[in-house]
Structures are given as C-alpha cells and as structure tokens.
Amino acid sequence: MRPLLVSLLSAVDARATYTELTQWLPVWRSVQKTTVGRDPFSDSVVAAHKADRLAWAFFSGYQGAIQAAFPNLAEAGEVVAFCANETGRKVTEITTKVDHRSGIPHLHGQKSWALSGVENLALLVLARRSDGPQKGAGSLVMVKLPSSSFGVSWGVARSQAVVPELSHSEVRFDSVRLDTAQLVPGDGYSEFAKPFRVLEDVFVSGCTLAYLLAEAQSGKWATNWCQRCIAAIAMLQVCTRLDPKDIHTHILVSGSLSFASNVIQESEGHWQTEQGVAHHRWLRDRQILLQGKEARRMRAVGSWERLQKEADSIALRQGI
C-alpha cells in the first residue's frame, strides 16, 4: 500500500487536457507499463490521479476491474470491453449464445451497450451455452475475441449526456467462428460476471476519488478532505484483495462504498472559482456514479440476510 500512498501524496504535476480517448490511452498505457507487477487497483488509481476529467478515471477503473476479474485474460495495456447487457433482460436471461457446428463453436446474438471506438479492442462476451443446462450453474460462458473478428459488427455510437468522451455502441455477433480456446473455462455468471460487478464498483469509486484528489491538490482544498479521500482509497484497496464472491467481502465493500460516496459528496464544498471548467464538467458527469445503485443496495441486503441465515442454522444445530 505504501507505494500507492507515496504516489498519491507526491507533488502533482500540471495535468494536460485530454479531450478524446485516443489522447488519454498513451497516458493510461504508460502507467500500465511503468507499474507492471503492482496490483490492478494501484495501477488504475495512479492513472486516474493523472486524469483531467471523470471520463478517464472511469475508464481506468473499468479496465482495472476487468484485469482483476480476468487475471489470465486481460493483459496490461490491453483495452477490453465487457459485453453482458441486453436491453430488457436480466443478465441471467440473456439470449446471446454459443452453439457448435461439427464441433466448432460459433457466437450469435447482440449486446446493447459496449465500449467502442478503440483500435485493437478485445471483447469479453457473456453468452449462453447450447451444450449446457438451460439455466443456473453451467448455463453461461465467457468468450474472449477481438472486435475485428469476422461477423462482429457495430451499431452507431450513442450520444451520452454524461462522460460523452467514452463512446458506447450496440455490438452484434453474426455466426462468429471461435476457437475452443476462446471459451473461458468456468461458469460465466458466478465466476466472472457477478464478481466483475463487485470489482467494478470498487475500482470506479477508487479512481473517482483519485481524480478528485488531484483536483483537491491543484485547488488547495482542505487537508481534512484530502485525508478522508486517501483513507477511502485505502479501504477500497483492501476490498480488492478479498474474494469478490464472499458475502463477508460484500458487506465490507458496501460499507467502504458508502464511506467513499460520502467523501465524494463532501467534495462539492471545496471546488474553487478558478476550477470552474472542471467543476462544470464534474457536475455534468457525476450522475454516472449512480448507475447500479439499486443493485449495490440489494447485494448488501442479500449478504446480511445470508449471514443471518448461517448464524441461525449454526445456532439451531448447536441447540441454542
């Protein structure tokens, strides 16, 4: 943890302005290259500390969460889009599927919302197995493929009111031929998609705080806020070192995210007049942090309920 603290507390260089993702990528990749061997959370936060806007902090957190959830698949410096959502369907009810013809797997379907507009983009796609159960364990699989694969096509990039610098589009898969090695072993939902969402919340919050810390340091915000910001980042780093599938981790994550959210809200009282442009952009983009709020609440409620059931079961067996 000390290297991360040293990096965050070092003198902040004048940050450049990055208006497009193509301008930000070399900065992000430079951090990825120079911090190789450190954990994905530290790498993401260090990069976000160099960002001049929330879009790049969000991007850094998103990529870091993918690296943490898929440690053997996402390489440092590789931009990956996690493709799970389908409009009007729960993740566990998706229709994108992998079927086999003469033993060769093919991918069919579409995803409604995926990061786009990046050269050499890799896709991690959640799909239904045609050779597995219809639902439940073993019914979904993760697939990794290049976005340039034959049969992959993109819809028109959608305009966004928040973080418009990050382009998102619908992506379609029309009988995309796969190698068996592109099918990730393990249950696509319980082992990958579900833990990724937990990690994404933690990484994005940590990177948001790192970006705000840079604004605080350049704007000479109150030391007390900066200390709370550093503490929140440290709490979130601890969360990334625990099993994201464990209910005890979920409870710690919930508390840490709550504290981080409070610190983020407290930042509103510290912006300086000379930071007007950055503050206006922050006010425009901060709504993205509310995405998944209800899912986070339900995850915490469900974890506490499961914990209580386990306690009741133990008490029953012991005759208490």
Side-chain angles (χ1 to χ4, degrees):
M1 183 177 291
R2 187 175 185 279
L4 176 58
L5 294 177
V6 169
S7 178
L8 292 175
L9 292 171
S10 298
V12 178
D13 297 328
R15 287 171 295 154
T17 298
Y18 309 103
T19 59
E20 298 180 4
L21 183 56
T22 53
Q23 297 172 334
W24 171 249
L25 280 177
V27 180
W28 175 73
R29 286 188 169 124
S30 175
V31 173
Q32 293 273 302
K33 182 179 179 180
T34 57
T35 59
V36 65
R38 289 211 302 225
D39 66 281
F41 183 82
S42 293
D43 295 351
S44 301
V45 167
V46 169
H49 195 230
K50 299 177 182 295
D52 71 315
R53 62 194 65 201
L54 181 58
W56 313 139
F58 185 92
F59 172 88
S60 299
Y62 176 80
Q63 293 300 319
I66 289 175
Q67 290 175 2
F70 302 89
N72 299 320
L73 294 175
E75 302 175 2
E78 178 185 39
V79 183
V80 182
F82 183 79
C83 307
N85 294 338
E86 297 178 12
T87 301
R89 298 187 181 94
K90 295 180 181 179
V91 171
T92 53
E93 298 173 351
I94 59 172
T95 60
T96 298
K97 66 177 182 178
V98 173
D99 64 17
H100 292 75
R101 303 177 197 165
S102 302
I104 300 173
H106 290 74
L107 180 65
H108 312 263
Q110 64 183 41
K111 297 297 180 180
S112 56
W113 195 254
L115 177 68
S116 61
V118 180
E119 278 191 59
N120 302 317
L121 179 67
L123 306 179
L124 280 167
V125 184
L126 184 65
R128 188 165 301 284
R129 306 184 67 109
S130 63
D131 59 349
Q134 290 298 304
K135 59 182 179 179
S139 61
L140 301 179
V141 63
M142 290 300 310
V143 180
K144 184 180 180 183
L145 68 157
S147 62
S148 58
S149 299
F150 183 78
V152 176
S153 59
W154 295 86
V156 177
R158 300 180 185 178
S159 60
Q160 301 175 124
V162 297
V163 293
E165 300 90 343
L166 294 176
S167 174
H168 288 79
S169 309
E170 179 184 80
V171 57
R172 294 180 290 276
F173 309 98
D174 183 14
S175 192
V176 180
R177 179 170 174 157
L178 304 170
D179 293 328
T180 303
Q182 291 177 290
L183 304 180
V184 183
D187 184 83
Y189 177 69
S190 65
E191 294 185 41
F192 297 108
K194 191 174 180 181
F196 168 74
R197 293 307 183 194
V198 177
L199 291 166
E200 182 184 28
D201 291 339
V202 173
F203 274 70
V204 168
S205 293
C207 287
T208 298
L209 288 165
Y211 158 67
L212 288 173
L213 180 62
E215 293 290 355
Q217 290 163 318
S218 61
K220 302 292 191 287
W221 295 7
T223 300
N224 183 58
W225 184 88
C226 294
Q227 291 175 163
R228 286 168 60 77
C229 181
I230 290 287
I233 292 172
M235 291 171 63
L236 293 169
Q237 184 180 40
V238 170
C239 292
T240 67
R241 294 174 174 173
L242 303 174
D243 182 358
K245 299 187 287 293
D246 191 293
I247 59 172
H248 301 86
T249 300
H250 292 175
I251 291 171
L252 177 61
V253 165
S254 180
S256 299
L257 290 176
S258 178
F259 179 68
S261 178
N262 289 341
V263 175
I264 290 170
Q265 291 176 20
E266 290 165 10
S267 72
E268 288 309 316
H270 296 281
W271 289 88
Q272 303 299 303
T273 302
E274 59 270 22
Q275 295 176 295
V277 173
H279 188 208
H280 178 76
R281 192 163 49 229
W282 163 256
L283 293 176
R284 178 197 69 186
D285 293 341
R286 64 182 179 176
Q287 296 301 313
I288 197 172
L289 302 176
L290 299 178
Q291 291 182 359
K293 182 178 180 179
E294 180 61 16
R296 290 190 287 273
R297 188 187 73 83
M298 292 304 298
R299 184 170 64 221
V301 169
S303 295
W304 280 109
E305 289 177 347
R306 286 177 57 193
L307 205 61
Q308 185 59 54
K309 288 180 180 178
E310 289 182 5
D312 291 344
S313 177
I314 292 173
L316 183 62
R317 289 198 302 270
Q318 294 178 344
I320 299 176

PDB file of all heavy atoms in Angstrom, residues 64-91:
ATOM      1  N   GLY A  64      -9.304  -1.617 -14.924  1.00  0.00           N
ATOM      2  CA  GLY A  64      -8.681  -2.279 -13.785  1.00  0.00           C
ATOM      3  C   GLY A  64      -9.542  -3.391 -13.228  1.00  0.00           C
ATOM      4  O   GLY A  64      -9.044  -4.460 -12.850  1.00  0.00           O
ATOM      5  N   ALA A  65     -10.855  -3.161 -13.179  1.00  0.00           N
ATOM      6  CA  ALA A  65     -11.778  -4.191 -12.691  1.00  0.00           C
ATOM      7  C   ALA A  65     -11.761  -5.408 -13.603  1.00  0.00           C
ATOM      8  O   ALA A  65     -11.827  -6.555 -13.137  1.00  0.00           O
ATOM      9  CB  ALA A  65     -13.195  -3.622 -12.588  1.00  0.00           C
ATOM     10  N   ILE A  66     -11.659  -5.188 -14.910  1.00  0.00           N
ATOM     11  CA  ILE A  66     -11.571  -6.304 -15.855  1.00  0.00           C
ATOM     12  C   ILE A  66     -10.285  -7.083 -15.625  1.00  0.00           C
ATOM     13  O   ILE A  66     -10.276  -8.323 -15.610  1.00  0.00           O
ATOM     14  CB  ILE A  66     -11.658  -5.783 -17.308  1.00  0.00           C
ATOM     15  CG1 ILE A  66     -13.080  -5.300 -17.601  1.00  0.00           C
ATOM     16  CG2 ILE A  66     -11.262  -6.878 -18.298  1.00  0.00           C
ATOM     17  CD1 ILE A  66     -13.248  -4.663 -18.966  1.00  0.00           C
ATOM     18  N   GLN A  67      -9.183  -6.373 -15.419  1.00  0.00           N
ATOM     19  CA  GLN A  67      -7.912  -7.054 -15.173  1.00  0.00           C
ATOM     20  C   GLN A  67      -7.964  -7.880 -13.893  1.00  0.00           C
ATOM     21  O   GLN A  67      -7.381  -8.969 -13.820  1.00  0.00           O
ATOM     22  CB  GLN A  67      -6.782  -6.023 -15.098  1.00  0.00           C
ATOM     23  CG  GLN A  67      -6.466  -5.377 -16.431  1.00  0.00           C
ATOM     24  CD  GLN A  67      -5.438  -4.269 -16.303  1.00  0.00           C
ATOM     25  OE1 GLN A  67      -4.927  -3.994 -15.216  1.00  0.00           O
ATOM     26  NE2 GLN A  67      -5.123  -3.619 -17.411  1.00  0.00           N
ATOM     27  N   ALA A  68      -8.664  -7.375 -12.879  1.00  0.00           N
ATOM     28  CA  ALA A  68      -8.768  -8.105 -11.609  1.00  0.00           C
ATOM     29  C   ALA A  68      -9.705  -9.303 -11.721  1.00  0.00           C
ATOM     30  O   ALA A  68      -9.455 -10.357 -11.132  1.00  0.00           O
ATOM     31  CB  ALA A  68      -9.249  -7.165 -10.509  1.00  0.00           C
ATOM     32  N   ALA A  69     -10.786  -9.146 -12.480  1.00  0.00           N
ATOM     33  CA  ALA A  69     -11.769 -10.232 -12.611  1.00  0.00           C
ATOM     34  C   ALA A  69     -11.295 -11.315 -13.575  1.00  0.00           C
ATOM     35  O   ALA A  69     -11.691 -12.476 -13.450  1.00  0.00           O
ATOM     36  CB  ALA A  69     -13.110  -9.667 -13.094  1.00  0.00           C
ATOM     37  N   PHE A  70     -10.446 -10.928 -14.540  1.00  0.00           N
ATOM     38  CA  PHE A  70      -9.952 -11.871 -15.547  1.00  0.00           C
ATOM     39  C   PHE A  70      -8.421 -11.810 -15.584  1.00  0.00           C
ATOM     40  O   PHE A  70      -7.833 -11.405 -16.597  1.00  0.00           O
ATOM     41  CB  PHE A  70     -10.518 -11.528 -16.927  1.00  0.00           C
ATOM     42  CG  PHE A  70     -12.013 -11.528 -17.003  1.00  0.00           C
ATOM     43  CD1 PHE A  70     -12.733 -10.371 -16.723  1.00  0.00           C
ATOM     44  CD2 PHE A  70     -12.709 -12.676 -17.343  1.00  0.00           C
ATOM     45  CE1 PHE A  70     -14.123 -10.365 -16.799  1.00  0.00           C
ATOM     46  CE2 PHE A  70     -14.091 -12.679 -17.413  1.00  0.00           C
ATOM     47  CZ  PHE A  70     -14.804 -11.520 -17.138  1.00  0.00           C
ATOM     48  N   PRO A  71      -7.763 -12.179 -14.501  1.00  0.00           N
ATOM     49  CA  PRO A  71      -6.306 -12.005 -14.406  1.00  0.00           C
ATOM     50  C   PRO A  71      -5.506 -12.760 -15.456  1.00  0.00           C
ATOM     51  O   PRO A  71      -4.390 -12.361 -15.782  1.00  0.00           O
ATOM     52  CB  PRO A  71      -5.983 -12.509 -12.993  1.00  0.00           C
ATOM     53  CG  PRO A  71      -7.111 -13.440 -12.654  1.00  0.00           C
ATOM     54  CD  PRO A  71      -8.319 -12.820 -13.295  1.00  0.00           C
ATOM     55  N   ASN A  72      -6.070 -13.821 -16.002  1.00  0.00           N
ATOM     56  CA  ASN A  72      -5.343 -14.608 -17.001  1.00  0.00           C
ATOM     57  C   ASN A  72      -5.734 -14.261 -18.428  1.00  0.00           C
ATOM     58  O   ASN A  72      -5.240 -14.870 -19.379  1.00  0.00           O
ATOM     59  CB  ASN A  72      -5.582 -16.100 -16.758  1.00  0.00           C
ATOM     60  CG  ASN A  72      -5.092 -16.556 -15.399  1.00  0.00           C
ATOM     61  OD1 ASN A  72      -4.034 -16.132 -14.942  1.00  0.00           O
ATOM     62  ND2 ASN A  72      -5.869 -17.401 -14.732  1.00  0.00           N
ATOM     63  N   LEU A  73      -6.625 -13.273 -18.574  1.00  0.00           N
ATOM     64  CA  LEU A  73      -7.129 -12.947 -19.900  1.00  0.00           C
ATOM     65  C   LEU A  73      -6.848 -11.515 -20.321  1.00  0.00           C
ATOM     66  O   LEU A  73      -6.572 -11.247 -21.483  1.00  0.00           O
ATOM     67  CB  LEU A  73      -8.647 -13.189 -19.955  1.00  0.00           C
ATOM     68  CG  LEU A  73      -9.106 -14.638 -19.818  1.00  0.00           C
ATOM     69  CD1 LEU A  73     -10.625 -14.693 -19.774  1.00  0.00           C
ATOM     70  CD2 LEU A  73      -8.605 -15.474 -20.976  1.00  0.00           C
ATOM     71  N   ALA A  74      -6.944 -10.577 -19.374  1.00  0.00           N
ATOM     72  CA  ALA A  74      -6.746  -9.171 -19.700  1.00  0.00           C
ATOM     73  C   ALA A  74      -5.302  -8.773 -19.430  1.00  0.00           C
ATOM     74  O   ALA A  74      -4.849  -8.788 -18.290  1.00  0.00           O
ATOM     75  CB  ALA A  74      -7.701  -8.314 -18.852  1.00  0.00           C
ATOM     76  N   GLU A  75      -4.590  -8.427 -20.474  1.00  0.00           N
ATOM     77  CA  GLU A  75      -3.185  -8.064 -20.349  1.00  0.00           C
ATOM     78  C   GLU A  75      -3.040  -6.569 -20.055  1.00  0.00           C
ATOM     79  O   GLU A  75      -3.882  -5.755 -20.436  1.00  0.00           O
ATOM     80  CB  GLU A  75      -2.446  -8.408 -21.643  1.00  0.00           C
ATOM     81  CG  GLU A  75      -2.533  -9.886 -22.029  1.00  0.00           C
ATOM     82  CD  GLU A  75      -1.890 -10.168 -23.364  1.00  0.00           C
ATOM     83  OE1 GLU A  75      -1.340  -9.211 -23.957  1.00  0.00           O
ATOM     84  OE2 GLU A  75      -1.933 -11.321 -23.810  1.00  0.00           O
ATOM     85  N   ALA A  76      -1.945  -6.223 -19.378  1.00  0.00           N
ATOM     86  CA  ALA A  76      -1.682  -4.819 -19.087  1.00  0.00           C
ATOM     87  C   ALA A  76      -1.600  -4.025 -20.382  1.00  0.00           C
ATOM     88  O   ALA A  76      -0.933  -4.424 -21.331  1.00  0.00           O
ATOM     89  CB  ALA A  76      -0.373  -4.689 -18.305  1.00  0.00           C
ATOM     90  N   GLY A  77      -2.311  -2.902 -20.431  1.00  0.00           N
ATOM     91  CA  GLY A  77      -2.302  -2.052 -21.613  1.00  0.00           C
ATOM     92  C   GLY A  77      -3.300  -2.434 -22.684  1.00  0.00           C
ATOM     93  O   GLY A  77      -3.485  -1.695 -23.651  1.00  0.00           O
ATOM     94  N   GLU A  78      -3.949  -3.590 -22.524  1.00  0.00           N
ATOM     95  CA  GLU A  78      -4.960  -4.037 -23.496  1.00  0.00           C
ATOM     96  C   GLU A  78      -6.317  -3.455 -23.110  1.00  0.00           C
ATOM     97  O   GLU A  78      -6.739  -3.570 -21.966  1.00  0.00           O
ATOM     98  CB  GLU A  78      -5.031  -5.558 -23.514  1.00  0.00           C
ATOM     99  CG  GLU A  78      -6.088  -6.117 -24.453  1.00  0.00           C
ATOM    100  CD  GLU A  78      -6.213  -7.636 -24.354  1.00  0.00           C
ATOM    101  OE1 GLU A  78      -6.135  -8.169 -23.223  1.00  0.00           O
ATOM    102  OE2 GLU A  78      -6.394  -8.276 -25.401  1.00  0.00           O
ATOM    103  N   VAL A  79      -6.988  -2.830 -24.061  1.00  0.00           N
ATOM    104  CA  VAL A  79      -8.314  -2.276 -23.790  1.00  0.00           C
ATOM    105  C   VAL A  79      -9.356  -3.352 -24.060  1.00  0.00           C
ATOM    106  O   VAL A  79      -9.385  -3.964 -25.129  1.00  0.00           O
ATOM    107  CB  VAL A  79      -8.605  -1.042 -24.663  1.00  0.00           C
ATOM    108  CG1 VAL A  79      -9.971  -0.457 -24.303  1.00  0.00           C
ATOM    109  CG2 VAL A  79      -7.513   0.007 -24.454  1.00  0.00           C
ATOM    110  N   VAL A  80     -10.213  -3.585 -23.064  1.00  0.00           N
ATOM    111  CA  VAL A  80     -11.201  -4.661 -23.136  1.00  0.00           C
ATOM    112  C   VAL A  80     -12.591  -4.099 -22.860  1.00  0.00           C
ATOM    113  O   VAL A  80     -12.762  -3.242 -21.985  1.00  0.00           O
ATOM    114  CB  VAL A  80     -10.888  -5.765 -22.108  1.00  0.00           C
ATOM    115  CG1 VAL A  80     -11.893  -6.910 -22.221  1.00  0.00           C
ATOM    116  CG2 VAL A  80      -9.468  -6.282 -22.285  1.00  0.00           C
ATOM    117  N   ALA A  81     -13.566  -4.569 -23.590  1.00  0.00           N
ATOM    118  CA  ALA A  81     -14.965  -4.222 -23.340  1.00  0.00           C
ATOM    119  C   ALA A  81     -15.683  -5.442 -22.778  1.00  0.00           C
ATOM    120  O   ALA A  81     -15.614  -6.529 -23.370  1.00  0.00           O
ATOM    121  CB  ALA A  81     -15.650  -3.761 -24.622  1.00  0.00           C
ATOM    122  N   PHE A  82     -16.324  -5.280 -21.639  1.00  0.00           N
ATOM    123  CA  PHE A  82     -17.100  -6.361 -21.036  1.00  0.00           C
ATOM    124  C   PHE A  82     -18.519  -6.273 -21.585  1.00  0.00           C
ATOM    125  O   PHE A  82     -19.216  -5.270 -21.382  1.00  0.00           O
ATOM    126  CB  PHE A  82     -17.099  -6.213 -19.510  1.00  0.00           C
ATOM    127  CG  PHE A  82     -17.823  -7.318 -18.794  1.00  0.00           C
ATOM    128  CD1 PHE A  82     -17.214  -8.548 -18.602  1.00  0.00           C
ATOM    129  CD2 PHE A  82     -19.105  -7.120 -18.310  1.00  0.00           C
ATOM    130  CE1 PHE A  82     -17.877  -9.565 -17.944  1.00  0.00           C
ATOM    131  CE2 PHE A  82     -19.776  -8.134 -17.644  1.00  0.00           C
ATOM    132  CZ  PHE A  82     -19.160  -9.361 -17.463  1.00  0.00           C
ATOM    133  N   CYS A  83     -18.950  -7.288 -22.298  1.00  0.00           N
ATOM    134  CA  CYS A  83     -20.240  -7.270 -23.003  1.00  0.00           C
ATOM    135  C   CYS A  83     -21.198  -8.254 -22.351  1.00  0.00           C
ATOM    136  O   CYS A  83     -21.100  -9.467 -22.571  1.00  0.00           O
ATOM    137  CB  CYS A  83     -20.040  -7.630 -24.474  1.00  0.00           C
ATOM    138  SG  CYS A  83     -18.804  -6.638 -25.322  1.00  0.00           S
ATOM    139  N   ALA A  84     -22.118  -7.740 -21.564  1.00  0.00           N
ATOM    140  CA  ALA A  84     -23.068  -8.604 -20.872  1.00  0.00           C
ATOM    141  C   ALA A  84     -24.512  -8.168 -21.091  1.00  0.00           C
ATOM    142  O   ALA A  84     -25.393  -8.982 -21.334  1.00  0.00           O
ATOM    143  CB  ALA A  84     -22.756  -8.642 -19.379  1.00  0.00           C
ATOM    144  N   ASN A  85     -24.775  -6.861 -21.033  1.00  0.00           N
ATOM    145  CA  ASN A  85     -26.148  -6.357 -21.027  1.00  0.00           C
ATOM    146  C   ASN A  85     -26.879  -6.539 -22.360  1.00  0.00           C
ATOM    147  O   ASN A  85     -26.301  -6.324 -23.429  1.00  0.00           O
ATOM    148  CB  ASN A  85     -26.166  -4.878 -20.647  1.00  0.00           C
ATOM    149  CG  ASN A  85     -25.711  -4.643 -19.226  1.00  0.00           C
ATOM    150  OD1 ASN A  85     -25.762  -5.535 -18.395  1.00  0.00           O
ATOM    151  ND2 ASN A  85     -25.255  -3.438 -18.948  1.00  0.00           N
ATOM    152  N   GLU A  86     -28.158  -6.904 -22.244  1.00  0.00           N
ATOM    153  CA  GLU A  86     -29.066  -6.962 -23.382  1.00  0.00           C
ATOM    154  C   GLU A  86     -30.350  -6.257 -22.953  1.00  0.00           C
ATOM    155  O   GLU A  86     -30.923  -6.589 -21.915  1.00  0.00           O
ATOM    156  CB  GLU A  86     -29.343  -8.418 -23.780  1.00  0.00           C
ATOM    157  CG  GLU A  86     -28.097  -9.158 -24.243  1.00  0.00           C
ATOM    158  CD  GLU A  86     -28.366 -10.615 -24.582  1.00  0.00           C
ATOM    159  OE1 GLU A  86     -29.555 -11.001 -24.674  1.00  0.00           O
ATOM    160  OE2 GLU A  86     -27.396 -11.376 -24.754  1.00  0.00           O
ATOM    161  N   THR A  87     -30.766  -5.292 -23.718  1.00  0.00           N
ATOM    162  CA  THR A  87     -31.900  -4.450 -23.343  1.00  0.00           C
ATOM    163  C   THR A  87     -33.120  -5.275 -22.952  1.00  0.00           C
ATOM    164  O   THR A  87     -33.547  -6.171 -23.682  1.00  0.00           O
ATOM    165  CB  THR A  87     -32.282  -3.507 -24.502  1.00  0.00           C
ATOM    166  OG1 THR A  87     -31.152  -2.693 -24.825  1.00  0.00           O
ATOM    167  CG2 THR A  87     -33.445  -2.617 -24.106  1.00  0.00           C
ATOM    168  N   GLY A  88     -33.673  -4.959 -21.764  1.00  0.00           N
ATOM    169  CA  GLY A  88     -34.905  -5.603 -21.315  1.00  0.00           C
ATOM    170  C   GLY A  88     -34.724  -6.977 -20.708  1.00  0.00           C
ATOM    171  O   GLY A  88     -35.719  -7.648 -20.389  1.00  0.00           O
ATOM    172  N   ARG A  89     -33.492  -7.426 -20.527  1.00  0.00           N
ATOM    173  CA  ARG A  89     -33.259  -8.757 -19.971  1.00  0.00           C
ATOM    174  C   ARG A  89     -32.318  -8.695 -18.776  1.00  0.00           C
ATOM    175  O   ARG A  89     -31.384  -7.902 -18.758  1.00  0.00           O
ATOM    176  CB  ARG A  89     -32.659  -9.695 -21.017  1.00  0.00           C
ATOM    177  CG  ARG A  89     -33.530  -9.948 -22.230  1.00  0.00           C
ATOM    178  CD  ARG A  89     -32.926 -11.023 -23.119  1.00  0.00           C
ATOM    179  NE  ARG A  89     -33.744 -11.267 -24.296  1.00  0.00           N
ATOM    180  CZ  ARG A  89     -33.548 -10.672 -25.460  1.00  0.00           C
ATOM    181  NH1 ARG A  89     -32.553  -9.830 -25.612  1.00  0.00           N
ATOM    182  NH2 ARG A  89     -34.339 -10.932 -26.494  1.00  0.00           N
ATOM    183  N   LYS A  90     -32.567  -9.566 -17.805  1.00  0.00           N
ATOM    184  CA  LYS A  90     -31.615  -9.747 -16.721  1.00  0.00           C
ATOM    185  C   LYS A  90     -30.388 -10.452 -17.289  1.00  0.00           C
ATOM    186  O   LYS A  90     -30.471 -11.149 -18.303  1.00  0.00           O
ATOM    187  CB  LYS A  90     -32.226 -10.603 -15.610  1.00  0.00           C
ATOM    188  CG  LYS A  90     -33.419  -9.975 -14.905  1.00  0.00           C
ATOM    189  CD  LYS A  90     -33.952 -10.907 -13.824  1.00  0.00           C
ATOM    190  CE  LYS A  90     -35.156 -10.296 -13.119  1.00  0.00           C
ATOM    191  NZ  LYS A  90     -35.689 -11.215 -12.069  1.00  0.00           N
ATOM    192  N   VAL A  91     -29.270 -10.263 -16.629  1.00  0.00           N
ATOM    193  CA  VAL A  91     -28.037 -10.884 -17.113  1.00  0.00           C
ATOM    194  C   VAL A  91     -28.187 -12.390 -17.226  1.00  0.00           C
ATOM    195  O   VAL A  91     -27.671 -13.012 -18.157  1.00  0.00           O
ATOM    196  CB  VAL A  91     -26.857 -10.524 -16.179  1.00  0.00           C
ATOM    197  CG1 VAL A  91     -25.620 -11.332 -16.535  1.00  0.00           C
ATOM    198  CG2 VAL A  91     -26.534  -9.037 -16.286  1.00  0.00           C
TER     199      VAL A  91
END
